[in-house]
Amino acid sequence: MNQPAVSPTLDTLFQRTLMRQPHAPALLDPLNKARVTGHQPRRMTYAEADTAIEALSAHFVESGLPANSVIAIQLPATVEFVLTVLAAHRAGLVVAVLPLLWRHAELTAALNRTAARAIVTMSKVDGVSYSDLAMHAAAEAFSIRYVCGFGADLPEGMASLDDVLARPPGTTRAVIQDGRKAAMISFDVTAEGFRPVPRPHFSLIAGGLAMSLEADIKQGATVMAAFTPMSFAGLASSLAVWLLCGGTLALHHPFESDVLEQQINAHECEVLIAPAQLALRLGDADLAARMPGLRNVIGLWRAPEQVAASDAWIAPHAPLTDVYLFGEAGLFGARRGEDGMPVAVMPGPHGAPREQSGSSIAGEILLTPRGTLGLRGAMVPIAAYAPPQPVGDTLTAQPPRDYVDTGYAARLDRPSGAICITAPPSGIMAVGGYRFLSNDLQEWARRLGQGALLTALPDRLSGHRLAGRAQDNARAREALNELGLNPLMVEAFRDRSGPV
């Protein structure tokens, strides 16, 4: 009797390459890892990575984590991040990714909303004790039963995963590899507030396909990922793209331009995946002479409304692919033409190669009746963004939408028929990859007392930047730290010589 066909998982893709070339290089750490985390950089082949994944997977099982339970991770862009995600999937767990900017307040909310059973972190990242943050957040999340981390000087009660990697793997459990099973939970902010967004494996793989096919990444390529990994776009642009091309993944902890350039040349990287503004700055700095081995550059736009007004790409030896990000809802890519300018984005299916106009590998772009951009397709988690059904007669209720409304204002250009993205969602601020409601700024300012001001100012590179003023900025920073807020809000009250 034939077994029903199942779609691949991320671990399935890893094991396919492992079987074909076990001794090929798989993972390369940032060259400055010792400064960032205190660990020496690792270089791992597929066979070495598989042994480490097996050891971590067995440890999660031995620690009593049930299949399909949630394990939260807050890790930098290092080899440990990749190993932990793949080990969790091999153990049948769902990974919830926690951005490094998050502090106590957001960590606690995320752990409670997802009923996470475990949390994995790094002892220190850039001098910040993430192990202490994890322990304090776990103390207020009743579902957490296990806390573990990489690095030295872990607090009492936190298990060391470095010790796990140093010993032979234990016994793991059999897990059905099916891409339809839940793989990750990321977190978005919409007009309705904080929102967990679960995704299956095939959705992550579709996100990776949208980038790798549009950019035409060749099999076996060495990919430099210089984008923060704790989001859907971060996982798709690093883990999924690497596993789809079956090459080598080099990681860079954002951002040190000199170190990034050194890594690209030392590892002979052919593909660079980075925030679009960073990529454009590199392109303006004689990229062909400084990094001649590059053949593809993928620029990720957290503020996709800025793409149309961006400068021309002037490094023809390494064409640029613009990837439009819409929070955690989805993304699409468009490779620039020979003139280096952004190409028109047409409504309808988007896939690759372009001449196959009916291809819907990547997804579909549409203009909603509200004059906003909508997305649908394999990567788009429609159920996570579905509006609540109206209360009343079920016979007259509207059928559920088959797309996600991103909230980005958009219109059709009449001469060309292209979609023009004109503005970000109303009421939502973005500072780099950190999104929050504008009302939150007023609430936090009120907590600081009379005369305090916290506002978001437009910024060409990151969308917005935060600025604050209080009667005593030092005391304001201390108060925000005690509230468990992230450093963007805290540093908004840094001392300045000029006006806010």
Side-chain angles (χ1 to χ4, degrees):
M1 181 177 177
N2 294 329
Q3 294 293 325
V6 295
S7 57
T9 65
L10 295 177
D11 193 35
T12 303
L13 297 178
F14 174 82
Q15 295 198 45
R16 285 178 181 175
T17 307
L18 170 69
M19 293 176 63
R20 189 172 65 250
Q21 48 184 35
H23 302 299
L27 297 170
L28 305 172
D29 254 330
L31 295 181
N32 60 345
K33 185 181 181 183
R35 182 197 64 76
V36 176
T37 70
H39 282 78
Q40 291 301 311
R42 299 176 189 261
R43 299 173 63 96
M44 305 185 84
T45 64
Y46 277 89
E48 291 167 341
D50 182 63
T51 300
I53 292 166
E54 192 72 10
L56 290 172
S57 174
H59 179 72
F60 294 149
V61 173
E62 292 164 356
S63 299
L65 298 178
N68 302 314
S69 59
V70 175
I71 180 170
I73 66 172
Q74 189 177 38
L75 292 169
T78 61
V79 164
E80 288 84 359
F81 142 71
V82 177
L83 299 177
T84 302
V85 172
L86 291 177
H89 289 159
R90 191 171 293 186
L93 306 175
V94 181
V95 172
V97 289
L98 310 176
L100 287 178
L101 275 174
W102 282 10
R103 296 299 188 259
H104 182 78
E106 290 149 319
L107 290 177
T108 303
L111 295 176
N112 282 318
R113 287 287 296 274
T114 58
R117 299 291 292 265
I119 183 169
V120 181
T121 190
M122 185 73 69
S123 56
K124 287 186 179 181
V125 181
D126 283 328
V128 177
S129 179
Y130 279 84
S131 55
D132 286 341
L133 289 173
M135 292 295 285
H136 287 110
E140 296 188 23
F142 297 110
S143 60
I144 293 289
R145 294 292 179 267
Y146 181 63
V147 184
C148 52
F150 297 94
D153 301 322
L154 296 174
E156 185 177 353
M158 179 174 283
S160 170
L161 294 181
D162 289 323
D163 292 344
V164 173
L165 294 178
R167 59 178 183 258
T171 303
T172 187
R173 59 181 162 226
V175 173
I176 296 175
Q177 294 291 330
D178 188 343
R180 297 167 294 186
K181 296 176 65 175
M184 71 168 290
I185 301 172
S186 56
F187 300 89
D188 205 351
V189 172
T190 67
E192 290 75 32
F194 184 71
R195 184 188 298 266
V197 182
R199 261 190 172 83
H201 287 264
F202 72 76
S203 179
L204 267 174
I205 293 171
L209 279 170
M211 296 186 218
S212 57
L213 290 175
E214 183 66 22
D216 194 21
I217 297 176
K218 71 175 186 179
Q219 287 295 297
T222 299
V223 178
M224 167 57 70
F227 191 84
T228 305
M230 297 290 100
S231 65
F232 163 63
L235 280 172
S237 64
S238 56
L239 205 59
V241 167
W242 163 58
L243 293 172
L244 285 165
C245 78
T248 304
L249 178 63
L251 295 158
H252 175 76
H253 180 69
F255 294 106
E256 291 186 35
S257 297
D258 292 342
V259 175
L260 176 61
E261 181 176 342
Q262 184 183 357
Q263 282 185 263
I264 290 172
N265 289 327
H267 301 320
E268 299 181 338
C269 296
E270 298 146 288
V271 181
L272 169 63
I273 303 175
Q277 293 85 351
L278 174 65
L280 287 169
R281 287 205 300 267
L282 291 174
D284 291 339
D286 198 7
L287 191 70
R290 296 173 62 183
M291 288 169 263
L294 279 180
R295 291 295 175 265
N296 297 86
V297 177
I298 298 177
L300 278 63
W301 292 89
R302 292 190 177 106
E305 71 278 6
Q306 296 180 358
V307 178
S310 64
D311 296 332
W313 179 251
I314 56 175
H317 79 292
L320 174 66
T321 299
D322 295 309
V323 174
Y324 297 65
L325 307 182
F326 300 93
E328 297 301 302
L331 55 85
F332 60 82
R335 188 170 181 170
R336 297 201 176 191
E338 293 182 358
D339 62 355
M341 296 303 296
V343 299
V345 175
M346 307 302 292
H350 58 102
R354 286 184 187 159
E355 55 268 21
Q356 295 179 357
S357 59
S359 168
S360 57
I361 293 173
E364 187 175 352
I365 309 164
L366 56 99
L367 193 66
T368 75
R370 294 177 55 233
T372 53
L373 188 92
L375 297 176
R376 60 182 158 213
M379 81 176 76
V380 182
I382 293 172
Y385 289 88
Q389 287 292 316
V391 178
D393 189 353
T394 57
L395 295 177
T396 60
Q398 295 294 317
R401 286 199 310 234
D402 66 345
Y403 64 89
V404 167
D405 185 345
T406 66
Y408 281 81
R411 62 176 177 82
L412 286 179
D413 179 66
R414 289 186 179 180
S416 67
I419 284 185
C420 302
I421 304 168
T422 57
S426 176
I428 297 175
M429 303 296 176
V431 180
Y434 180 68
R435 285 158 60 100
F436 53 91
L437 294 175
S438 55
N439 291 340
D440 288 346
L441 295 182
Q442 301 170 18
E443 176 61 28
W444 296 122
R446 277 197 295 268
R447 296 194 182 196
L448 296 175
Q450 188 174 3
L453 170 69
L454 182 59
T455 188
L457 303 175
D459 185 88
R460 183 67 182 85
L461 293 180
S462 62
H464 292 86
R465 57 186 172 88
L466 296 181
R469 175 181 289 159
Q471 294 177 353
D472 186 336
N473 279 349
R475 290 191 63 183
R477 290 197 302 272
E478 184 178 342
L480 291 173
N481 267 321
E482 290 176 356
L483 288 170
L485 297 189
N486 74 70
L488 289 176
M489 290 192 176
V490 176
E491 289 306 307
F493 289 91
R494 65 189 181 276
D495 293 324
R496 296 174 178 83
S497 57
V500 173

